[in-house]
Amino acid sequence: MKRHEFITKDIYKTIKDNNYWYNCLKNISYYCTESSYGGAAIIPMDADMQNWRYGSNENTETENLYYNYWKNKSPLSENYSKIDLTSGFIYKDDQFLSENEIDHIPFYQDFLRVFGVRRIHNVLFKTDVGHRFILSVQSPIGMDNNDSEKIKQNMIKVTPHIINSVELSINFNRKSKSIRIFENLFEEIPYGVAILNEDNTVIHANKILLNMENDGIFIKDGKIRTKYNSYNKNIEKIISQKSSINKVFKIYCESGKILYGKIIILEKDLDTSTNGSTKMIVFSIQNVGLKTEAVLRDLFLTKSQAKIACLIANGKSVKDSALEMKISEGTARQMVKEIFSRIGINSQSQLTAFVKNISLIS
């Protein structure tokens, strides 16, 4: 296997195992300097990304020296925060310093004493979501200007793979964290809950959702399904549409129950588009109850209007609602018109969505 192919595969091993950076940076150092006596490090420039700092030297004492005592003392670190990285990445090294100048700079004296390295070669890069990093490679004593040019070319070759690996790793860890949060917080709530990735594939579902198979809804090949093929297309359409976010939709189950669902975006920062975000879908087969009715009564409607609104949201017709409330159908229809006027809607489906939204909140 060619050296470049080897180092590329090695870099991508860090995506699912951040601790592999320690070993990978040793190989990156050897690849760039063609010497086993150099060193390499990944250095985050943002305070909230300090858990992403790794070096080829695993000694915790030297890591503390490097990231704390020597922080921002390198002659290369001046004005780093002002550098425009819109082009992807920028290479910087210390060739502007003579050997004599390096001998009289305390930073380099400490570097040589602790790490046994002489010159520093840095690449500044930025991820697709704006996190800034430095890939630093330190060459051992004895290398000349020709060696520095080779190091530069090798770093330029390897940097695009490092950027891609860091981006993928950040996203992978963020999604994994979301799933862990999901498992801890949503497993016991009285709703069926599923997390979907950017391809609208279910990556986790809680126990209640898995038990809803008795009501005619289930997960197959990572997709939410019912026993009615024609309705499955509607579900796919609802899940994929941006206009469905935060709105309540109905699924009529084989058991006769009405299943209410709501789509929520979990991670907008991963992508500006809806399809690029992780989604959570909440399903409820619980009927709208007295709690929702009380909220409607307190905030929007009269007592009788709140009652008929909840009956309709639970799937009853206006006629059946009138019978249950012991009023005429005409009175019930007038009441529904007044509800429409009060909350600014014009259909029973909008009324159902309005009430179910309040139900999920309450």
Side-chain angles (χ1 to χ4, degrees):
M1 184 184 295
K2 295 180 180 179
R3 290 175 60 246
H4 183 71
E5 291 179 8
F6 168 79
I7 198 63
T8 299
K9 290 184 177 182
D10 205 50
I11 288 169
Y12 287 113
K13 290 179 183 179
T14 64
I15 295 173
K16 294 186 178 181
D17 182 8
N18 288 2
N19 288 326
Y20 188 71
W21 272 115
Y22 295 112
N23 188 68
C24 182
L25 285 164
K26 292 178 184 177
N27 294 331
I28 289 172
S29 172
Y30 185 83
Y31 172 82
C32 292
T33 66
E34 299 181 2
S35 168
S36 58
Y37 296 102
I42 292 286
I43 307 166
M45 297 181 68
D46 304 320
D48 61 340
M49 298 298 291
Q50 291 307 302
N51 59 318
W52 286 84
R53 64 188 195 190
Y54 298 97
S56 56
N57 191 318
E58 296 182 56
N59 186 300
T60 55
E61 181 180 355
T62 54
E63 181 178 316
N64 181 60
L65 285 171
Y66 188 84
Y67 289 112
N68 297 311
Y69 180 72
W70 289 324
K71 185 178 181 181
N72 298 325
K73 293 183 180 180
S74 166
L76 287 177
S77 65
E78 295 181 7
N79 300 320
Y80 269 1
S81 61
K82 298 179 181 178
I83 292 177
D84 182 13
L85 290 176
T86 54
S87 59
F89 63 89
I90 294 175
Y91 174 86
K92 298 281 186 181
D93 63 29
D94 54 17
Q95 290 303 301
F96 60 89
L97 295 172
S98 67
E99 292 293 318
N100 183 59
E101 287 175 311
I102 282 182
D103 287 338
H104 291 86
I105 296 176
F107 174 84
Y108 283 94
Q109 292 171 354
D110 284 342
F111 232 74
L112 179 61
R113 176 178 57 82
V114 177
F115 288 124
V117 296
R118 181 72 168 176
R119 294 274 185 178
I120 299 173
H121 315 261
N122 287 349
V123 169
L124 281 75
F125 66 87
K126 184 167 66 174
T127 67
D128 58 351
V129 292
H131 299 304
R132 294 161 61 92
F133 289 85
I134 297 172
L135 166 65
S136 180
V137 172
Q138 306 93 40
S139 58
I141 191 169
M143 289 194 165
D144 55 26
N145 289 339
N146 290 332
D147 293 314
S148 292
E149 182 60 30
K150 290 179 183 177
I151 292 170
K152 175 182 178 180
Q153 295 305 319
N154 287 336
M155 289 182 72
I156 289 173
K157 287 180 183 177
V158 80
T159 294
H161 299 289
I162 291 176
I163 295 174
N164 195 32
S165 176
V166 169
E167 289 175 346
L168 291 170
S169 186
I170 289 173
N171 286 346
F172 174 81
N173 280 271
R174 191 167 294 172
K175 287 173 186 278
S176 298
K177 183 179 179 181
S178 295
I179 293 173
R180 288 195 298 273
I181 292 172
F182 172 88
E183 291 172 340
N184 291 332
L185 297 182
F186 298 119
E187 196 58 50
E188 302 302 329
I189 66 172
Y191 301 109
V193 182
I195 289 183
L196 280 65
N197 65 12
E198 60 271 17
D199 297 322
N200 294 322
T201 298
V202 176
I203 56 178
H204 197 89
N206 69 351
K207 294 175 183 176
I208 290 181
L209 179 56
L210 295 177
N211 290 334
M212 284 182 175
E213 187 168 347
N214 294 330
D215 296 303
I217 186 167
F218 54 91
I219 297 169
K220 183 178 181 181
D221 299 327
K223 302 297 181 182
I224 296 172
R225 294 282 186 261
T226 71
K227 294 183 178 180
Y228 307 106
N229 291 329
S230 59
Y231 202 76
N232 288 334
K233 294 180 180 179
N234 290 337
I235 295 175
E236 290 180 7
K237 185 177 180 181
I238 290 168
I239 292 173
S240 62
Q241 286 181 335
K242 187 175 181 180
S243 58
S244 300
I245 303 302
N246 291 324
K247 292 184 178 179
V248 174
F249 59 92
K250 288 182 181 181
I251 297 176
Y252 294 92
C253 300
E254 187 178 9
S255 64
K257 295 178 180 178
I258 300 175
L259 188 68
Y260 296 93
K262 186 172 184 179
I263 302 171
I264 302 166
I265 294 294
L266 286 181
E267 295 185 354
K268 291 182 180 179
D269 59 318
L270 295 186
D271 198 302
T272 55
S273 67
T274 298
N275 289 335
S277 302
T278 303
K279 300 173 184 175
M280 180 172 75
I281 302 186
V282 180
F283 291 105
S284 173
I285 55 175
Q286 295 181 342
N287 290 338
V288 171
L290 295 176
K291 191 173 182 180
T292 303
E293 191 175 323
V295 172
L296 286 169
R297 185 174 66 246
D298 291 342
L299 298 180
F300 304 101
L301 308 175
T302 66
K303 183 177 179 180
S304 57
Q305 287 171 348
K307 178 68 175 177
I308 196 171
C310 289
L311 290 172
I312 290 172
N314 280 328
K316 289 186 178 294
S317 66
V318 174
K319 183 178 180 179
D320 289 340
S321 299
L323 288 172
E324 184 162 332
M325 293 179 67
K326 298 179 180 180
I327 58 176
S328 69
E329 185 177 346
T331 300
R333 294 194 181 280
Q334 182 60 36
M335 200 178 296
V336 171
K337 288 181 181 180
E338 292 171 358
I339 293 171
F340 288 176
S341 177
R342 281 201 176 205
I343 60 179
I345 58 174
N346 54 26
S347 70
Q348 290 186 31
S349 61
Q350 288 179 334
L351 175 60
T352 296
F354 182 85
V355 175
K356 293 305 295 187
N357 269 311
I358 291 175
S359 179
L360 287 174
I361 294 169
S362 64

